[in-house]
Amino acid sequence: MNNIDWQKEDLNYIWHPCSQMKDYEELPPIIIDRGEGINLYDIEGNCYKDVISSWWCNLLGHCNPVISKRLKEQADKLEHVIFANFSHKPIIELCMRLSKIMPKGITKFNFADNGSSAIEMSLKLSFQYYQQTGKPEKTRFMALTDAYHGETISALSVGDCDLYTKIYKPILMDVIRIKAPDCFRCPYGKKRDNCDCPCFEDCERQFEKYGDKTAAFIAEPLLQGSAGMKIYPALYLKKLRKICDKYDVHLILDEIATGFLRTGKMFACDNALISPDIMCISKGLTGGYMPMSAVCMTDKIYNAFYDEYNTYKAFMHSHTYAGNPLGASCALGVLDILEAGEIQKHLDTVTPYFNNLIKEKFLNMDNVGEVRQLGLINAIELVKNKEAKTPFNSKMRLGYQIYKKALKKGVLLRPLGDVIYFNPPLIIDKPDMDYVVNTAYECANEALKEIN
Ligand SMILES: *Cc1c(COP(=O)(O)O)cnc(C)c1O
């Protein structure tokens, strides 16, 4: 079968995620054969530079030899085992090593197999905690506008991106919505870098009203990824930690996208020097090899479920693949690499280079409203009018046009609406940075010329 045959058979059977399948008529699926570093190669040998880490999970490059070796060795030894009453070395070692890098006070780990499931688990944990510690009135959740926490019903409930949630509103939980910081279009006229977060007042108002009825506040720390890589100040998180303590509300941090050095620190909350009560991790955890997630929490939460069986305080929650040995082995490979320290050194030199490069290229473009940077994550928000910050008509699908052009030039960009962003594997080098930034710049200019 040749490339076209494979594409035809793909579309005969497969419903691809997060896609209008009709779009595949003009842009058929790209059949990837192999990966190496930041490069993906299709079956005809064309190369695509994966600067979005294949949905933000590929942390250390495709087919990383250290992780691959761990996976292969584990596959020959033990692929899976029931995780109630049974355990295995890879998962125990993983927890021992994870606990060394966790934010302060995070000591216990419960596993699931994807990000959304971790979010589900964290909400259930928080709810049940208050049911069995004498505050059964705490049944509500708070979350930010523009939040994204995954796509199961409860994850959608705490999320707030219309594209994913709107149609399901009638069947979602009623969540208390707090106006998220919006540093690009700040209604208070403040700048992100030296801001005292007056926008926190909405949060204060809602806590006054609902704090006593709320079990948990869930947030993506510092970076609202799916909302368009919106970045907000660490001070906002500090304030959030404080007010959660005041009202005895759990702070659940969704570090699924931000964990493992994505923001420059091991976890985004490390930038604010705070710890959550519950933290969800996934994506980078296995370096993008195996679906695995973990809900990480304090002893205090764990202990509220610890009692005689007949008190029925146990957390009766399980996923078949929870704590899978193959996933755990990949995660150990990731930690092998991160603990060796070379990645941190690499990031110290390439991060300023990348960020300057992007600023130099894009900042002065007529249609660039803002360039946002956090670690290696860079977002470029395209607007119709730079001064008024007015967006383009979404029907024009500007981001999608840029995406298609970039693919032809061998760069996998996949923008969020009209926000072009880079979230590359941490191993990306300077020549690749030059190439992908130049390509994105060319494609953005071509697409803008066509719609302006
Ligand atoms: C990707 C993501 C999720 C959902 O993870 P899945 O594995 O896709 O279910 C949740 N929260 C954030 C911040 C994410 O980026």
Side-chain angles (χ1 to χ4, degrees), residues 200-215:
F200 195 71
E201 66 182 3
D202 187 47
C203 198
E204 281 165 350
R205 264 196 305 269
Q206 306 280 18
F207 267 88
E208 264 169 45
K209 245 174 145 172
Y210 301 110
D212 295 340
K213 296 205 163 22
T214 300

Side-chain angles (χ1 to χ4, degrees), residues 146 182 184-185 227 366-370 372 380-399 416-419 448 451-452:
D146 281 346
D182 183 357
F184 175 40
R185 297 185 175 88
D366 283 344
N367 293 104
V368 168
E370 187 180 47
R372 300 187 274 274
I380 299 145
E381 180 153 351
L382 298 171
V383 290
K384 191 161 181 212
N385 184 304
K386 201 176 175 95
E387 278 67 47
K389 303 179 181 177
T390 39
F392 283 99
N393 183 338
S394 62
K395 289 211 175 85
M396 295 183 181
R397 301 184 76 188
L398 173 62
L416 293 156
D418 292 343
V419 176
L448 281 162
I451 71 165
N452 269 336

Side-chain angles (χ1 to χ4, degrees), residues 100-280:
K100 293 205 180 93
I101 58 169
M102 282 287 127
K104 209 169 146 241
I106 300 289
T107 49
K108 292 284 194 281
F109 304 91
N110 196 329
F111 288 88
D113 44 28
N114 65 77
S116 307
S117 297
I119 298 295
E120 292 268 351
M121 195 202 293
S122 70
L123 299 173
K124 283 178 66 181
L125 270 173
S126 176
F127 175 85
Q128 189 174 338
Y129 173 94
Y130 285 112
Q131 292 302 304
Q132 51 201 39
T133 55
K135 291 192 179 175
E137 69 281 6
K138 283 186 170 284
T139 59
R140 309 279 315 264
F141 297 108
M142 291 185 184
L144 294 173
T145 54
D146 281 346
Y148 179 87
H149 298 291
E151 291 170 29
T152 60
I153 295 292
S154 81
L156 280 176
S157 298
V158 284
D160 183 47
C161 291
D162 269 358
L163 185 60
Y164 312 108
T165 49
K166 200 170 171 194
I167 193 159
Y168 305 107
K169 283 258 164 79
I171 54 168
L172 299 183
M173 287 190 293
D174 184 20
V175 164
I176 301 157
R177 195 61 61 187
I178 280 74
K179 183 123 196 45
D182 183 357
C183 301
F184 175 40
R185 297 185 175 88
C186 179
Y188 302 84
K190 296 273 183 179
K191 290 257 183 314
R192 190 184 286 115
D193 298 338
N194 56 354
C195 173
D196 53 355
C197 298
C199 61
F200 195 71
E201 66 182 3
D202 187 47
C203 198
E204 281 165 350
R205 264 196 305 269
Q206 306 280 18
F207 267 88
E208 264 169 45
K209 245 174 145 172
Y210 301 110
D212 295 340
K213 296 205 163 22
T214 300
F217 192 118
I218 182 166
E220 296 158 271
L222 296 197
L223 176 85
Q224 292 192 293
S226 297
M229 299 289 174
K230 287 173 63 185
I231 295 167
Y232 65 89
L235 181 63
Y236 193 94
L237 268 188
K238 282 191 188 173
K239 289 181 182 247
L240 198 50
R241 176 68 275 179
K242 241 191 207 156
I243 203 165
C244 283
D245 285 341
K246 184 174 162 195
Y247 286 89
D248 191 19
V249 166
H250 291 141
L251 178 58
I252 302 174
L253 289 183
D254 176 352
E255 292 261 9
I256 291 166
T258 47
F260 302 99
L261 295 179
R262 283 295 186 195
T263 68
K265 301 275 189 202
M266 190 54 74
F267 297 101
C269 64
D270 295 336
N271 292 281
L273 302 170
I274 60 138
S275 286
D277 301 287
I278 304 176
M279 187 167 105
C280 300

Side-chain angles (χ1 to χ4, degrees), residues 355-421:
N355 294 357
N356 286 333
L357 189 67
I358 288 169
K359 268 198 179 146
E360 272 168 26
K361 271 275 173 210
F362 285 95
L363 211 49
N364 294 323
M365 266 174 72
D366 283 344
N367 293 104
V368 168
E370 187 180 47
V371 175
R372 300 187 274 274
Q373 309 184 313
L374 185 63
L376 274 187
I377 297 170
N378 270 267
I380 299 145
E381 180 153 351
L382 298 171
V383 290
K384 191 161 181 212
N385 184 304
K386 201 176 175 95
E387 278 67 47
K389 303 179 181 177
T390 39
F392 283 99
N393 183 338
S394 62
K395 289 211 175 85
M396 295 183 181
R397 301 184 76 188
L398 173 62
Y400 185 63
Q401 304 307 327
I402 296 169
Y403 169 62
K404 286 193 294 183
K405 287 181 191 297
L407 279 178
K408 283 202 186 118
K409 297 184 184 191
V411 179
L412 169 48
L413 268 179
R414 207 168 200 274
L416 293 156
D418 292 343
V419 176
I420 312 172
Y421 72 89

